[in-house]
Amino acid sequence: MPLIGLVLGVILLRAVQDLSARFTYQAVVHALFHIAPWRIAAALAATALSYVGLVGRDALALRFLGIGLPRGMVCLGAAIGSAMGNALGFGSLTGGVVRYRVLGAGGVSKMQVSRLVVLISVGFILGLLLFGGLGGLLTAPVLGPVTGLSVPALRALSTAALVLSAGAIALCGRDGRVLRWRQRSFALPGRGVLFGQLAYVGVDVLGAGLCLWVLLPQGALGFPAFMAIYVAALLLGVIGHTPGGIGVFDAAILVTLGHGQPAGAVVAALLVYRCLYFVLPLLLSTAVLAGLETRGIAARLAPKAAEALALGPPLLPMFLAVVTFAIGVTLVISGAAPAFHHRLDLLARFVPLWLVEGSNMATSLVGVLLLFVARGLFFRLDAAWWMAMGLAVLGLFFSLAMGLAFLEAGALLFLTVVLLSARRRFDRLASLFDRPLSAEMLVALVLVLSVAFWVFFFAFRHVPYSNELWWQFEFDDRASRALRTIVAASVLAAAIGMREMLRLAPGRAARPTAADLNAAERIARRQPRSDAMLAMMGDKSFLFSGSGRTFLMYAKRGRDWVALYDPVGPREEWPALIASFIGLAHAHDGRPAFYQVRSEALPLYLETGLRLMKLGEEALVSLADFTLEGSRMAHLRYALKRGARDGLTAEVLESPAASLESLRAISDAWLAQRRAAEKGFSVASFDIPSLSRQSVMLVCEHGRPVAFVTFMTTDLFAEATVGVMRHVPDASPYTMEFLFTRLALHLREAGYEHLSLGMAPLSGLAVGCGNSLWYRIGHLLWRHGNKVYSFRGLRSFKSKFDPVWEPRYLATTGLFGPVRTLAAIAAGGAEVEPSRP
């Protein structure tokens, strides 16, 4: 398909080049500015009429399928689905994706939406054949001289179209029919439903054709003859499968009408028609979706649709991606076209020449970058939103400074407002260029730049080329300015495209299979480190050694490949496994890092060339020496006594599954109080499969469950590590101290050697003359960052249990490696796919 699109684009550009001999750029601009306002108003009314037909088609099809939905949702799905389908091409198929997201939020299944799309698509094609055949048959004498076909040939083609449509109507039968072919069956609608579809298609096509006809110069074809040509051009556009039939449809109209009418005026009418019938509904649909996001006026007009869409997949990013790409195309082409003389004369009074020159080039460069950013917006990437916002604001300034380009500035202002309203929808923290460029994207870039070059040569074909054009800098040298701009835009697009094509594949972290989890669990249970049981959360991927006795758990975020802890398994296999992980990251142009590694393994990471930074210290309670005697433990003794007075009791659950609902209620209350979501990677989360592999201690207050803590152990019974700890907001203030004290006493009696209370971030970062910049920053955060995170409060709480503090480190690459890695860990949510890397 990309190759077909490229070939078709080249053919269309060639055809347009041949047709352009009949008109000039100045003639098109002159005709654009002399279209009467009443014609614009009439074209808008005709567009509204066409959308009445489009909405009616959907409503009738839904009624035939027996689907009952609120009227607002039906209208919203039909209107924005048609707007997207018209803009992108493939008609109802593209709009079907949008319809499913709207109607699916209301409970409509994929199969039902598929039947809806098939019904309205077949009805549309059938309507074009019927009305095109009738129009051609009735106006053959008028169409003959215009199309270059003989009257008998036109009548033969029209008759064939009528026969096909009549045969399809007869096939349906009076009350519908079921066709069977092999093991498949197809339910056809009855003639009543089909005639209703054809009537709405007639309204749709009538409004769309009228929109273009009123924009054409006076003295053009009569409306019946024009409609026959319009329907034929629509059929060619459908066959061509270009977005909105662009190129194919326009060439057909220009070829048939350009002989008897001023070609420049016909082209101007086509441009305005494209804006009113294709671009404006797309912008309005995007604005409506933005209103639904902000719960504004549009939400009050269609509250049920807004409520359903809030629960379903977001549509606004898809529309924003299309709008952003369209605005990028506009900016690229705008830089290649000449600015208006009177606007440049006005700018010359207030703005220096260098700003105009630079802004003209910068506007096209912003357009090129928006073409790439549009892809990230489609995938709802946070980085794409920030970059789109920055580019829109910059482009708004540059578009005004380049020549008071109000149309481009208005489009960028619209994009800025909609981006602001949709901020919460862009929640995927991934690299903007993490996904490779598709062949379709590359073809689209080539075609956009080709069109921009064509516009440049078309607009300045009266200017003879000379080397001096590159170095002329005057307000009136519009050709030189456009030449430099289009070349700079092409160089930027080529550079980004080549970088994307030549870079290494980014790779994906493989989602752990059940076999991987079982193998990792067997390894983890046979060694003393209990924190290795975090591997059972299922949010990390695994890299096993060749013998299968050792593994690394890791996650990938953008280009950062972060392993959690040291390898798990026999120590002699660690060096090879560490090297294998670093090689895997480098093979995909990634940045390897190891998070919370222990001091005894530091030489292994130094030998690989990684940089080390101390993250903090882990609190390890020596259970053999743990006692409540002495003045240092007075606070723990008081916590037990006060807890007992408050009615607190603690028990280790033999079967956590039996108390799952109580645990979930405590967890939900804890998260709601902190307005937080579950985390992952290095922190245990409330995940049922991983909880089933842990032990749970539950605290009740007068019999009511108020707090719990999970702890991970291995088969060697040497160490236990705290996992999930939660409590309800109204529990006794001594609940957590009571809980952890009971846990420590329980583990000591069970024969465990150590209890890990987890790490205290930035703890123990002593600052000396030899420390790096990151150590100094970490020390400042430790001293002055308590308002953001209770660094010292966390260490103070854990210190009550008299632990041994062991340092934990981060091994990473590059000067900014610590910041990148910690940001990737904070983002959470590894990027995974079913297959192995």
Side-chain angles (χ1 to χ4, degrees), residues 110 448 720:
K110 291 181 181 179
V448 169

Side-chain angles (χ1 to χ4, degrees), residues 761-830:
L762 305 182
S763 172
L765 295 185
V767 177
C769 59
N771 291 136
S772 69
L773 173 64
W774 299 120
Y775 270 83
R776 296 177 184 274
I777 293 175
H779 183 68
L780 286 174
L781 287 174
W782 169 263
R783 292 184 57 188
H784 306 291
N786 268 2
K787 293 182 179 180
V788 179
Y789 184 87
S790 182
F791 295 105
R792 285 183 286 180
L794 184 62
R795 179 178 174 111
S796 176
F797 176 81
K798 295 179 180 182
S799 295
K800 294 178 180 180
F801 298 87
D802 195 25
V804 176
W805 293 97
E806 291 192 357
R808 296 292 178 260
Y809 297 87
L810 171 67
T812 185
T813 59
L815 177 62
F816 295 96
V819 175
R820 289 194 308 262
T821 303
L822 295 177
I825 294 171

